[in-house]
Amino acid sequence: MTGLSTRQREILWHRAQGLTGPQIARHMSLAVATISYHERIICHTLRATNITHAVHLGHLAHLIGARPDCGDRAAYLRHLRRHEPTCPACKAANAEHGIAQRAGQLKEAI
């Protein structure tokens, strides 16, 4: 996957929903400076020129799903349990999990 943390993916998701930095800071109980810091890291990691460009690249790379916690295998399984349509970010994470499992990179659950 990418080098984005769960918090950074959540910030990117909130930006995709149209929230401003101060709104995200209030929602996540963080300082506005912390949001700005994470947005700089997001832009650097995705090689975006600004946060709007990062949101666009995040959509293209299927990093942004229907919910802020979408984009990993657990969220994919949650969609299935709830009989929800799976978002592209979760589908991509499930595909990566399958590839890693077939390559022997994952340990089987006991």
Side-chain angles (χ1 to χ4, degrees), residues 65-88:
R67 297 173 181 246
D69 58 346
C70 280
D72 60 15
R73 174 141 167 93
Y76 176 81
L77 296 174
R78 183 194 68 230
H79 286 304
L80 294 180
R81 280 193 310 275
R82 293 180 180 175
H83 305 289
E84 301 171 341
T86 54
C87 65

Side-chain angles (χ1 to χ4, degrees), residues 13-64:
W13 182 82
H14 283 301
R15 276 296 188 166
Q17 302 307 307
L19 272 67
T20 64
Q23 289 171 329
I24 297 169
R26 276 193 303 278
H27 181 76
M28 295 180 69
S29 301
L30 297 170
V32 176
T34 303
I35 300 300
S36 297
Y37 169 77
H38 281 295
E39 288 181 350
R40 285 193 305 274
I41 299 299
I42 291 166
C43 289
H44 177 75
T45 302
L46 297 180
R47 297 181 182 187
T49 55
N50 56 40
I51 195 64
T52 304
H53 186 211
V55 167
H56 174 70
L57 294 175
H59 278 297
L60 291 178
H62 305 295
L63 298 175
I64 304 172

